[in-house]
Amino acid sequence: MTRAIDAGLVTCTECASVWPRGQGTCGRCGNALQSRHTRSLQRVWAFWLTGLLCYVPANLSPMLVTSTLTGTSANTIVGGAVEIAKHGDIGIAAIVLGASVAIPVAKFLAIAYLAVSVQRGSARSPAARLHLYEAVEFIGRWSMIDVFVVAILSALVQLSVVASIRPGPAALTFALSVIFTMLSARSFDTRLIWDEHNRKT
Amino acid sequence: MGQGGNIGDTAQLIGCPVCDELHQLSRPDEGHRALCRCCGTVLITSRDRAGINILALSVAVMVLVIAATIFPFLSIDAAGIANRVSLWDVATSFRSGLLVLVSVATVLLIVLVPLMRTALLVYVIAPLEFDRPPLPRARGAFRTAQALRPWAMTEVFSIGCAVALVKVSDLAHLEFGPAFWMFSVLSLIVVVADRYLCSWSIWTALEEAEPT
């Protein structure tokens, strides 16, 4: 087992070609070459914190404002899911809660764990940590579902006085929170996991 | 992949972008994949007709995105009042104040980014497929297409539709327009097209067609 960094080489993260250390750009695809992304963890934490700061108001302010003949009601993310569950659609309520509460919280925890694990070390194997990272990367985009649902509902349900739905301020903060967590996960240089593992053994 | 014994010639090596492990370069047989021996990441996917498949699927995606944007997407009626919306109306439904930013993001994520990404892929792959020299700045175009990948959220939007449908079903009667079905097909195509795309193979084809 030889790693590029130990052989004095750099791997291009875009096209997987290998170059001598010190070369600035990849001769094959033109990507900037970096043995390890410098300041990877600073970027991870900066985006992580921004995402978290957006996630708090996203849960406190209303996501949807519904006006019907009987009155106006504003629902937060959790409130909306509870409403759906009361109608009997437990399955859909579970999807909404999963996509907008469970997944974002799990994502914040997973990214924080990965970043701390390469800084402080971890008992878990690199393969297990890579699986966790891949899961975070895969799942990240799916949190946008809730924003799209609000977009569809507020475009569609415009039936003058009978019923109308408007987006609330949480639509913005929630979308921002999803985007910043995606950026945070993408800033993480997975090669650091093996660096940390090799230091230990 | 073989052991990375001879480090002398870097052109004969392939590094794993995920864990930095070096391998001796050897192309897998048709229909097979080369995996990183350390972390299992797919390094090379060998498929004979990958190029032409990606081209066909990309053109299909472009046509479907444009069509789905124009044609009515969903229609609703309750108590005699009806409303029909296109995908464009959905994407631009946030109109008040700062929420306009959400509209901008939605248009980008479900219309512009998927369109741009497929256009770039066609730009890069079409000349390779028809044995022509690559078009100017093809490398930059392919790098951009790869960077846009996570931001094209067609499939996510289609699941969003399903959730929205259930949410309004007790409020009003709802009907699917032609664009809705187009978008559902589109989501499937996007997933299939991504499975054909092997970035290592495309970079190699670009290099062979026009050595630097």
Side-chain angles (χ1 to χ4, degrees), chain B residues 8 13 23 26-27 30 69 78 80 83 85 91-92 95 110 117 125 130-131 142-143 150 176 187 189 194:
Chain B
L13 294 173
H23 306 80
S26 67
R27 287 197 198 199
E30 156 65 17
T69 312
N83 187 26
V85 292
T92 56
R95 294 230 172 79
I110 63 178
R117 189 172 122 81
I125 296 170
F130 300 112
D131 292 321
F142 188 54
R143 278 212 310 277
F176 308 112
S187 309
I189 293 180
D194 268 356

Side-chain angles (χ1 to χ4, degrees), chain A residues 119-183:
Chain A
Q119 282 168 322
R120 300 264 175 88
S122 163
R124 275 172 190 275
S125 72
R129 278 184 271 164
L130 181 67
H131 283 311
L132 181 64
Y133 177 78
E134 282 169 345
V136 169
E137 271 265 279
F138 174 79
I139 244 164
R141 328 156 55 227
W142 291 93
S143 300
M144 283 303 272
I145 284 185
D146 228 37
V147 178
F148 293 152
V149 169
V150 174
I152 296 166
L153 291 181
S154 20
L156 197 60
V157 186
Q158 294 298 337
L159 305 168
S160 68
V161 291
V162 180
S164 76
I165 291 182
R166 280 182 296 118
L172 177 64
T173 43
F174 190 79
L176 285 175
S177 153
V178 174
I179 289 168
F180 282 120
T181 359
M182 280 176 72
L183 289 172

Side-chain angles (χ1 to χ4, degrees), chain A:
Chain A
M1 305 278 260
T2 324
R3 282 151 39 91
I5 193 168
D6 302 324
L9 301 170
V10 182
T11 303
C12 173
T13 47
E14 173 65 49
C15 73
S17 58
V18 179
W19 305 94
R21 185 93 64 85
Q23 185 166 334
T25 50
C26 174
R28 190 153 91 121
C29 70
N31 194 33
L33 289 177
Q34 279 185 314
S35 183
R36 294 295 177 269
H37 289 297
T38 44
R39 294 194 295 279
S40 160
L41 292 176
Q42 282 97 318
R43 286 166 54 94
V44 169
W45 283 119
F47 284 129
W48 186 87
L49 196 65
T50 320
L52 192 63
L53 287 178
C54 295
Y55 187 64
V56 174
N59 275 287
L60 298 178
S61 48
M63 189 86 167
L64 275 180
V65 183
T66 315
S67 315
T68 55
L69 289 171
T70 50
T72 301
S73 69
N75 270 327
T76 58
I77 292 172
V78 177
V82 170
E83 199 101 309
I84 297 173
K86 274 186 196 158
H87 282 297
D89 292 313
I90 306 289
I92 296 295
I95 290 178
V96 173
L97 276 180
S100 5
V101 182
I103 290 177
V105 170
K107 240 166 35 180
F108 282 120
L109 292 176
I111 297 172
Y113 164 72
L114 287 170
V116 169
S117 88
V118 300
Q119 282 168 322
R120 300 264 175 88
S122 163
R124 275 172 190 275
S125 72
R129 278 184 271 164
L130 181 67
H131 283 311
L132 181 64
Y133 177 78
E134 282 169 345
V136 169
E137 271 265 279
F138 174 79
I139 244 164
R141 328 156 55 227
W142 291 93
S143 300
M144 283 303 272
I145 284 185
D146 228 37
V147 178
F148 293 152
V149 169
V150 174
I152 296 166
L153 291 181
S154 20
L156 197 60
V157 186
Q158 294 298 337
L159 305 168
S160 68
V161 291
V162 180
S164 76
I165 291 182
R166 280 182 296 118
L172 177 64
T173 43
F174 190 79
L176 285 175
S177 153
V178 174
I179 289 168
F180 282 120
T181 359
M182 280 176 72
L183 289 172
S184 172
R186 295 185 62 74
S187 306
F188 184 72
D189 191 339
T190 47
R191 296 174 293 190
L192 295 172
I193 298 175
W194 278 269
D195 289 350
E196 181 273 322
H197 183 70
N198 288 2
R199 266 203 310 275
K200 214 166 46 188
T201 48

Side-chain angles (χ1 to χ4, degrees), chain B residues 94-154:
Chain B
F94 302 90
R95 294 230 172 79
S96 54
L98 270 177
L99 286 175
V100 169
L101 291 177
V102 186
S103 275
V104 173
T106 313
V107 170
L108 279 173
L109 297 174
I110 63 178
V111 181
L112 294 184
V113 172
L115 266 186
M116 221 153 78
R117 189 172 122 81
T118 46
L120 288 170
L121 286 179
V122 170
Y123 182 88
V124 173
I125 296 170
L128 293 176
E129 207 46 46
F130 300 112
D131 292 321
R132 298 278 171 82
L135 295 165
R137 308 180 70 82
R139 281 154 216 258
F142 188 54
R143 278 212 310 277
T144 312
Q146 289 296 83
L148 288 177
R149 197 174 184 162
W151 304 101
M153 299 200 182
T154 320

